[in-house]
Amino acid sequence: MGVAGATGPVMDRDEVDRALARLGAEYEAIETSLLALQDHSGRRLLEGAELTGVTKDRWAATEQAVASLWAYFDAYTAALSGARELRARRRWPNREDLAELTDVLRGESVTVAGGGVAGGAHGGHTHSITGPAQLAERFTLEALVSRMNQLYARSLDMVVTADAVWSALPARIDLLAAELLRTRSLAHSVGVRPGEHPAGDDLEEITQELTTLRSQVVTDPLAFWRPGLGSSAPGGGRPDTERYDRAARALEEIRREIEAVLGVRQDAEQRLLRLQDVLSRADRTLTEARSARGEVLAKIAASEVPAVSGPSTALQEQLVLAAGYRRHAQWHRLSPLLESLEREAEEELLRARESLSRVTEPLAVRAELRGRLDAYKAKVARHGMAEDPLLMERYEAARRMLWSAPCDLRAAEQAVMRYQRATAEVLIPRQPGPADRAGPSRSDKGDSA
């Protein structure tokens, strides 16, 4: 170890050689990085672009940083060359040579002119992207490498970020714009136009949004960048595609709507015929319900029969309107009308069927009672009890009620139930009790006498 000086202990020959090799490797890496930055496609695009907003401000600062990088690199190159020449004087440097090399390699031996070059943090009269700039700055070689690495990382981050946005968004916007153009043409063919249909107005809004979005992306790409959380690497993050995604979703919804309109154009006649058929069935069902109501009122007594409404004139009017839309090829108006008409026509048919069911319910109850009465009569006949006086009496009473007009359903149901109970008593054998086993009672003897 040598004698200590202003820069610390004097380096020996091996330490000097290792330091020169390390600084030489740093030189190669920095030169390669600077040349790559110089040739980067993003940097060339930035140089030729009409920038605005945050990108314009960042690029102005980055251009200063790149100029500073080359100035620092030139100073670093000169200092490293001087150190190599000093080392090359003697194969075995003496103490004075080693002291001088130590001062060059470890001391603030590099002076960089200030002004337009990025300065340090020690005050001065000019200002740069890294803070106030001095008229001249002094660095150690290692400090100068650190400063260049910082400026390079910031410059590369700006260039890579802008290039990433330009690589991702404009091409996607152009593809979406082409899809938008096809959709607009298709929409126009089916009558979906601005001022005449909401989807036509939406297409105009999407067109304006894509035009504005593309212009902003091209001139201010950094405004469409989301930095990655916790990432310090240049270009860490991703392009902000929120506005593009929103426009794409809106266009997809409109495209599906246009396809639905196209579908209407292709099968409008069949759908209109189906609608007419459904409404006709509903009308016939209501007519049947009204006829059945008159029959129920005539044949069933003491029964509340609901009223039957007439056919829906509103649906018929809408059907006529839909036919008019079809004749005049107003498909964009026909599409939503058909959808609502199909739903309402099915509801109308269901309402008519429910009305018929409610009106004919008393007749159904009477038919069920008649069937039950006949079923029990057949059962009695199978057991050979058809001539039983009590059963015959109760059967006739129930039959007269059920086959008379008007029929009192409540009384008829009670009569059928009495016949059922009498049938059960006759057909189920009675188990003998204690009195039966003891012999005939006095009253029985009297009756037999």
Side-chain angles (χ1 to χ4, degrees):
M1 185 67 67
V3 179
T7 57
V10 175
M11 304 168 68
D12 60 26
R13 187 188 67 166
D14 291 339
E15 288 176 322
V16 167
D17 290 343
R18 287 195 298 272
L20 286 172
R22 185 178 67 256
L23 293 171
E26 292 280 6
Y27 172 86
E28 296 292 337
I30 293 170
E31 183 182 39
T32 300
S33 298
L34 287 176
L35 291 175
L37 178 62
Q38 193 73 14
D39 292 335
H40 198 287
S41 60
R43 188 196 64 80
R44 292 196 298 270
L45 289 172
L46 284 163
E47 281 187 338
E50 293 290 335
L51 302 176
T52 60
V54 63
T55 306
K56 181 179 181 180
D57 297 337
R58 283 277 306 274
W59 177 236
T62 299
E63 285 187 307
Q64 292 183 23
V66 172
S68 299
L69 271 171
W70 283 109
Y72 286 141
F73 183 69
D74 290 342
Y76 181 82
T77 301
L80 182 59
S81 298
R84 284 172 171 171
E85 290 175 2
L86 181 59
R87 173 65 184 86
R89 288 178 186 174
R90 297 179 181 86
R91 182 179 180 183
W92 302 97
N94 57 32
R95 183 178 299 274
E96 288 75 15
D97 293 337
L98 291 173
E100 187 175 355
L101 283 167
T102 299
D103 184 61
V104 170
L105 295 174
R106 288 183 174 174
E108 293 182 345
S109 59
V110 185
T111 301
V112 182
V117 178
H122 301 294
H125 302 290
T126 60
H127 193 275
S128 73
I129 61 171
T130 57
Q134 296 176 314
L135 295 178
E137 292 180 286
R138 296 181 63 83
F139 295 93
T140 65
L141 285 171
E142 289 188 358
L144 187 56
V145 169
S146 177
R147 173 64 64 83
M148 285 190 289
N149 286 335
Q150 293 172 5
L151 287 179
Y152 173 77
R154 290 210 299 268
S155 302
L156 181 64
D157 179 73
M158 194 273 168
V159 170
V160 168
T161 297
D163 189 50
V165 173
W166 279 335
S167 298
L169 273 175
R172 296 172 68 181
I173 294 172
D174 290 342
L175 289 174
L176 189 61
E179 177 64 23
L180 173 63
L181 186 62
R182 289 191 292 271
T183 304
R184 289 182 65 182
S185 176
L186 198 61
H188 192 273
S189 70
V190 294
V192 176
R193 300 180 179 89
E196 298 180 10
H197 192 277
D201 298 331
D202 293 340
L203 284 173
E204 284 298 304
E205 292 180 5
I206 296 173
T207 301
Q208 295 174 7
E209 167 65 2
L210 288 184
T211 301
T212 303
L213 179 61
R214 194 184 194 288
S215 175
Q216 292 175 350
V217 167
V218 169
T219 60
D220 192 9
L222 296 191
F224 296 87
W225 184 255
R226 289 184 178 179
L229 297 177
S231 174
S232 59
R238 63 180 180 85
D240 183 357
T241 62
E242 181 178 351
R243 285 174 60 184
Y244 166 85
D245 294 337
R246 188 163 56 245
R249 287 193 298 270
L251 181 59
E252 176 62 19
E253 291 177 1
I254 294 174
R255 188 186 62 78
R256 287 197 295 267
E257 186 174 348
I258 300 303
E259 288 179 349
V261 174
L262 282 171
V264 168
R265 183 173 68 177
Q266 293 170 358
D267 62 2
E269 184 174 358
Q270 288 75 15
R271 291 175 70 179
L272 284 171
L273 288 174
R274 286 195 297 269
L275 272 170
Q276 290 174 348
D277 178 63
V278 171
L279 290 178
S280 295
R281 282 188 284 156
D283 290 348
R284 290 195 300 270
T285 303
L286 288 174
T287 300
E288 184 181 353
R290 285 191 294 272
S291 175
R293 185 173 188 272
E295 181 183 358
V296 170
L297 291 174
K299 295 182 177 181
I300 306 298
S303 177
E304 294 182 1
V305 185
V308 179
S309 64
S312 173
T313 57
L315 287 180
Q316 293 294 341
E317 291 172 356
Q318 287 182 313
L319 187 60
V320 172
L321 181 62
Y325 285 159
R326 178 182 174 276
R327 284 195 303 273
H328 296 92
Q330 293 179 308
W331 311 113
H332 61 291
R333 290 190 172 93
L334 180 58
S335 177
L337 181 57
L338 278 180
E339 290 179 5
S340 64
L341 263 176
E342 287 168 341
R343 182 178 61 255
E344 292 172 7
E346 291 294 337
E347 292 173 355
E348 177 70 5
L349 179 57
L350 179 62
R351 182 180 68 85
R353 288 171 174 170
E354 290 176 347
S355 180
L356 178 61
S357 297
R358 288 194 300 270
V359 165
T360 58
E361 184 178 0
L363 294 176
V365 171
R366 187 184 67 173
E368 190 274 334
L369 290 173
R370 286 177 173 180
R372 198 193 315 173
L373 182 66
D374 288 342
Y376 271 93
K377 181 182 179 184
K379 185 176 181 181
V380 167
R382 286 197 303 271
H383 287 80
M385 304 295 293
E387 302 301 324
D388 185 271
L390 178 62
L391 294 182
M392 291 177 65
E393 176 190 348
R394 293 192 176 180
Y395 171 79
E396 286 299 327
R399 191 188 68 79
R400 282 194 304 272
M401 290 183 185
L402 286 172
W403 269 266
S404 63
C407 171
D408 187 336
L409 284 179
R410 294 185 180 86
E413 184 177 13
Q414 293 297 322
V416 171
M417 291 179 65
R418 285 195 296 272
Y419 180 64
Q420 287 179 240
R421 287 195 294 270
T423 301
E425 291 174 358
V426 169
L427 296 182
I428 298 175
R430 187 167 61 88
Q431 297 296 329
D436 297 321
R437 290 193 294 270
S441 64
R442 183 178 303 174
S443 61
D444 291 335
K445 292 178 181 178
D447 290 340
S448 60

